[in-house]
Amino acid sequence: MAFIKKKDTASVAHEDRRQLRECPDLIAGLEDGNAGARRWAARDLVKCQDAAAALVDRLKREGDLSVREVILTTLTRLGDATAVAGLVDCLRSEDAALRNEAIEAMKQLPDEVAPIMQILLADPDPDVRIFAVNILESLCHPDVESWLIDVIETEPHVNVCGTALDLLSEVGSAAAVAALARLKDRFADEPYIQFAADLALGRIHED
Protein backbone atom coordinates (compact mmCIF):
# COMPACT_ATOMS: atom_id res chain seq x y z
CA MET A 1 0.00 0.00 0.00
CA ALA A 2 1.35 3.40 -0.93
CA PHE A 3 2.54 5.52 1.94
CA ILE A 4 0.72 8.86 2.16
CA LYS A 5 2.66 11.49 4.03
CA LYS A 6 0.49 13.59 6.28
CA LYS A 7 1.04 17.30 6.56
CA ASP A 8 2.66 18.24 9.81
CA THR A 9 0.58 20.13 12.33
CA ALA A 10 2.54 23.37 11.88
CA SER A 11 1.92 23.40 8.11
CA VAL A 12 -1.78 22.79 8.52
CA ALA A 13 -2.02 25.50 11.16
CA HIS A 14 -0.17 27.92 8.86
CA GLU A 15 -2.58 27.21 5.97
CA ASP A 16 -5.58 27.63 8.25
CA ARG A 17 -4.27 30.98 9.49
CA ARG A 18 -3.62 32.07 5.90
CA GLN A 19 -7.18 31.23 4.87
CA LEU A 20 -8.61 33.15 7.80
CA ARG A 21 -6.58 36.35 7.41
CA GLU A 22 -8.50 39.53 6.73
CA CYS A 23 -7.54 42.13 4.13
CA PRO A 24 -5.69 44.46 6.53
CA ASP A 25 -3.58 41.53 7.72
CA LEU A 26 -2.82 40.53 4.13
CA ILE A 27 -1.77 44.06 3.24
CA ALA A 28 0.50 44.07 6.28
CA GLY A 29 1.87 40.73 5.06
CA LEU A 30 3.27 42.44 1.97
CA GLU A 31 5.91 43.94 4.27
CA ASP A 32 6.89 40.62 5.86
CA GLY A 33 10.60 39.93 5.87
CA ASN A 34 9.99 36.47 4.40
CA ALA A 35 9.47 36.31 0.64
CA GLY A 36 7.17 33.32 0.96
CA ALA A 37 4.89 35.21 3.34
CA ARG A 38 4.80 38.19 0.97
CA ARG A 39 3.99 35.86 -1.91
CA TRP A 40 1.06 34.28 -0.05
CA ALA A 41 -0.22 37.70 1.00
CA ALA A 42 -0.07 38.99 -2.59
CA ARG A 43 -1.90 35.91 -3.85
CA ASP A 44 -4.66 36.10 -1.24
CA LEU A 45 -5.20 39.83 -1.75
CA VAL A 46 -7.10 39.01 -4.93
CA LYS A 47 -10.20 38.83 -2.72
CA CYS A 48 -9.65 42.38 -1.43
CA GLN A 49 -11.11 44.97 -3.78
CA ASP A 50 -9.18 47.90 -2.25
CA ALA A 51 -5.78 46.23 -2.28
CA ALA A 52 -4.39 47.56 -5.58
CA ALA A 53 -2.65 50.60 -4.11
CA ALA A 54 -0.77 48.52 -1.54
CA LEU A 55 0.16 45.95 -4.19
CA VAL A 56 1.52 48.61 -6.53
CA ASP A 57 3.48 50.21 -3.71
CA ARG A 58 5.05 46.85 -2.85
CA LEU A 59 5.67 46.03 -6.52
CA LYS A 60 7.87 49.11 -6.95
CA ARG A 61 10.05 48.01 -4.02
CA GLU A 62 9.91 44.23 -4.32
CA GLY A 63 13.22 42.55 -5.08
CA ASP A 64 12.06 38.94 -5.22
CA LEU A 65 11.04 37.93 -8.74
CA SER A 66 8.53 35.30 -7.62
CA VAL A 67 6.75 37.82 -5.37
CA ARG A 68 6.66 40.37 -8.18
CA GLU A 69 5.09 37.80 -10.48
CA VAL A 70 2.33 37.07 -7.98
CA ILE A 71 1.71 40.78 -7.35
CA LEU A 72 1.35 41.38 -11.09
CA THR A 73 -1.02 38.44 -11.45
CA THR A 74 -3.17 39.74 -8.61
CA LEU A 75 -3.19 43.25 -10.08
CA THR A 76 -4.38 41.94 -13.44
CA ARG A 77 -7.09 39.90 -11.74
CA LEU A 78 -8.24 42.93 -9.76
CA GLY A 79 -8.04 45.08 -12.90
CA ASP A 80 -9.52 48.20 -11.33
CA ALA A 81 -8.62 51.81 -12.07
CA THR A 82 -6.06 51.91 -9.26
CA ALA A 83 -4.33 48.80 -10.58
CA VAL A 84 -4.17 50.19 -14.11
CA ALA A 85 -2.93 53.59 -12.92
CA GLY A 86 -0.24 51.86 -10.87
CA LEU A 87 0.92 49.84 -13.86
CA VAL A 88 1.05 53.00 -15.96
CA ASP A 89 3.21 54.61 -13.29
CA CYS A 90 5.56 51.64 -13.50
CA LEU A 91 6.18 52.50 -17.15
CA ARG A 92 8.12 55.53 -15.89
CA SER A 93 10.37 53.46 -13.63
CA GLU A 94 14.15 53.39 -14.07
CA ASP A 95 13.89 49.61 -13.57
CA ALA A 96 13.73 48.13 -17.09
CA ALA A 97 12.50 44.76 -15.79
CA LEU A 98 9.63 46.45 -13.94
CA ARG A 99 8.69 48.42 -17.05
CA ASN A 100 8.57 45.25 -19.13
CA GLU A 101 6.54 43.45 -16.47
CA ALA A 102 4.04 46.32 -16.41
CA ILE A 103 3.73 46.23 -20.20
CA GLU A 104 3.01 42.49 -20.15
CA ALA A 105 0.45 42.93 -17.37
CA MET A 106 -1.32 45.73 -19.24
CA LYS A 107 -1.58 43.53 -22.30
CA GLN A 108 -3.81 41.26 -20.22
CA LEU A 109 -6.26 44.11 -19.54
CA PRO A 110 -7.58 45.25 -22.94
CA ASP A 111 -10.93 46.50 -21.70
CA GLU A 112 -9.39 48.38 -18.79
CA VAL A 113 -6.46 49.85 -20.75
CA ALA A 114 -8.38 50.85 -23.88
CA PRO A 115 -10.04 53.93 -22.30
CA ILE A 116 -6.64 55.43 -21.43
CA MET A 117 -4.75 54.39 -24.56
CA GLN A 118 -5.09 57.74 -26.30
CA ILE A 119 -3.77 59.44 -23.16
CA LEU A 120 -0.76 57.12 -23.14
CA LEU A 121 -0.11 57.69 -26.83
CA ALA A 122 -0.06 61.44 -26.15
CA ASP A 123 2.16 61.24 -23.07
CA PRO A 124 4.93 63.89 -22.94
CA ASP A 125 7.55 61.15 -22.56
CA PRO A 126 8.34 59.48 -25.92
CA ASP A 127 9.44 56.32 -24.11
CA VAL A 128 5.97 55.99 -22.58
CA ARG A 129 4.46 56.50 -26.04
CA ILE A 130 6.66 53.68 -27.35
CA PHE A 131 5.58 51.45 -24.47
CA ALA A 132 1.96 52.26 -25.29
CA VAL A 133 2.48 51.06 -28.86
CA ASN A 134 4.11 47.91 -27.50
CA ILE A 135 1.01 47.29 -25.40
CA LEU A 136 -1.16 47.64 -28.51
CA GLU A 137 0.64 44.64 -30.01
CA SER A 138 -1.39 42.21 -27.89
CA LEU A 139 -4.34 44.36 -26.90
CA CYS A 140 -6.80 42.68 -29.33
CA HIS A 141 -8.96 45.81 -29.51
CA PRO A 142 -10.93 46.93 -32.60
CA ASP A 143 -9.38 50.42 -32.48
CA VAL A 144 -5.75 49.28 -32.66
CA GLU A 145 -5.32 50.21 -36.31
CA SER A 146 -6.98 53.61 -35.94
CA TRP A 147 -4.76 54.38 -32.93
CA LEU A 148 -1.68 53.45 -34.94
CA ILE A 149 -2.80 55.60 -37.85
CA ASP A 150 -3.21 58.54 -35.49
CA VAL A 151 0.33 57.94 -34.23
CA ILE A 152 1.95 58.04 -37.65
CA GLU A 153 -0.14 61.07 -38.62
CA THR A 154 0.71 63.20 -35.59
CA GLU A 155 3.75 61.77 -33.77
CA PRO A 156 6.87 63.99 -34.06
CA HIS A 157 9.35 61.45 -32.67
CA VAL A 158 10.85 59.17 -35.29
CA ASN A 159 11.38 56.24 -32.90
CA VAL A 160 7.73 56.24 -31.86
CA CYS A 161 6.67 56.28 -35.49
CA GLY A 162 9.07 53.43 -36.24
CA THR A 163 7.59 51.33 -33.45
CA ALA A 164 4.07 52.06 -34.70
CA LEU A 165 5.09 51.11 -38.23
CA ASP A 166 6.39 47.74 -37.07
CA LEU A 167 2.95 46.89 -35.73
CA LEU A 168 1.04 48.56 -38.53
CA SER A 169 2.84 46.33 -41.03
CA GLU A 170 1.12 43.39 -39.27
CA VAL A 171 -2.37 44.80 -38.70
CA GLY A 172 -2.68 47.57 -41.31
CA SER A 173 -5.40 47.63 -43.94
CA ALA A 174 -6.29 49.89 -46.87
CA ALA A 175 -7.39 52.46 -44.28
CA ALA A 176 -3.73 53.10 -43.46
CA VAL A 177 -2.42 53.64 -47.00
CA ALA A 178 -2.86 57.43 -47.20
CA ALA A 179 -1.36 57.95 -43.74
CA LEU A 180 1.63 55.79 -44.64
CA ALA A 181 2.26 57.84 -47.77
CA ARG A 182 2.13 61.06 -45.78
CA LEU A 183 4.49 59.60 -43.18
CA LYS A 184 7.02 58.80 -45.92
CA ASP A 185 6.87 62.41 -47.07
CA ARG A 186 7.24 63.71 -43.52
CA PHE A 187 10.32 61.56 -42.79
CA ALA A 188 11.80 61.52 -46.28
CA ASP A 189 15.36 61.47 -44.91
CA GLU A 190 14.83 58.60 -42.47
CA PRO A 191 15.85 55.28 -44.12
CA TYR A 192 14.10 53.05 -41.56
CA ILE A 193 10.81 54.91 -41.87
CA GLN A 194 10.99 54.54 -45.65
CA PHE A 195 11.77 50.83 -45.37
CA ALA A 196 9.13 50.06 -42.73
CA ALA A 197 6.43 52.11 -44.49
CA ASP A 198 7.15 50.35 -47.79
CA LEU A 199 6.99 47.01 -46.02
CA ALA A 200 3.60 47.90 -44.50
CA LEU A 201 2.29 49.13 -47.85
CA GLY A 202 3.51 45.99 -49.59
CA ARG A 203 1.74 43.73 -47.12
CA ILE A 204 -1.46 45.75 -47.39
CA HIS A 205 -1.45 45.53 -51.17
CA GLU A 206 -0.78 41.78 -50.99
CA ASP A 207 -3.98 41.38 -49.01
Side-chain angles (χ1 to χ4, degrees):
M1 183 175 70
F3 176 72
I4 301 175
K5 184 178 180 180
K6 295 183 179 179
K7 293 183 179 179
D8 62 75
T9 304
S11 296
V12 172
H14 172 72
E15 291 184 8
D16 288 342
R17 287 196 302 272
R18 188 174 68 81
Q19 292 169 3
L20 293 172
R21 291 166 74 188
E22 299 296 330
C23 294
D25 298 323
L26 293 171
I27 289 174
L30 293 174
E31 302 302 322
D32 196 288
N34 180 274
R38 297 197 303 277
R39 189 164 54 247
W40 279 118
R43 182 176 289 114
D44 290 351
L45 277 167
V46 73
K47 69 182 182 182
C48 302
Q49 292 304 307
D50 297 325
L55 286 162
V56 170
D57 178 67
R58 183 68 223 180
L59 176 64
K60 294 176 181 179
R61 298 179 287 115
E62 181 55 60
D64 187 281
L65 179 59
S66 67
V67 179
R68 278 162 66 141
E69 289 175 349
V70 175
I71 291 174
L72 287 159
T73 298
T74 299
L75 284 171
T76 56
R77 290 180 65 186
L78 289 172
D80 58 18
T82 302
V84 173
L87 292 170
V88 169
D89 197 39
C90 290
L91 298 179
R92 308 180 195 284
S93 172
E94 295 296 322
D95 184 341
L98 179 58
R99 293 197 304 269
N100 291 332
E101 289 164 357
I103 289 169
E104 293 305 313
M106 292 175 73
K107 288 179 179 180
Q108 308 303 314
L109 297 167
D111 293 335
E112 293 79 9
V113 170
I116 64 168
M117 183 51 64
Q118 288 182 309
I119 296 172
L120 292 177
L121 291 171
D123 192 275
D125 186 340
D127 286 337
V128 172
R129 300 199 297 274
I130 288 174
F131 299 150
V133 174
N134 289 335
I135 292 166
L136 286 180
E137 181 181 2
S138 300
L139 206 57
C140 298
H141 191 278
D143 290 333
V144 167
E145 184 184 14
S146 64
W147 285 327
L148 291 170
I149 291 172
D150 285 343
V151 170
I152 66 171
E153 289 273 39
T154 62
E155 173 60 52
H157 199 290
V158 64
N159 290 341
V160 183
C161 286
T163 304
L165 275 176
D166 290 341
L167 181 53
L168 201 53
S169 68
E170 299 176 13
V171 304
S173 69
V177 169
L180 287 165
R182 287 190 288 270
L183 181 68
K184 290 189 63 177
D185 290 340
R186 193 154 60 91
F187 290 102
D189 296 328
E190 293 290 345
Y192 183 75
I193 294 294
Q194 298 299 311
F195 166 78
D198 286 339
L199 180 62
L201 287 165
R203 289 180 175 174
I204 289 170
H205 292 316
E206 285 177 2
D207 294 337

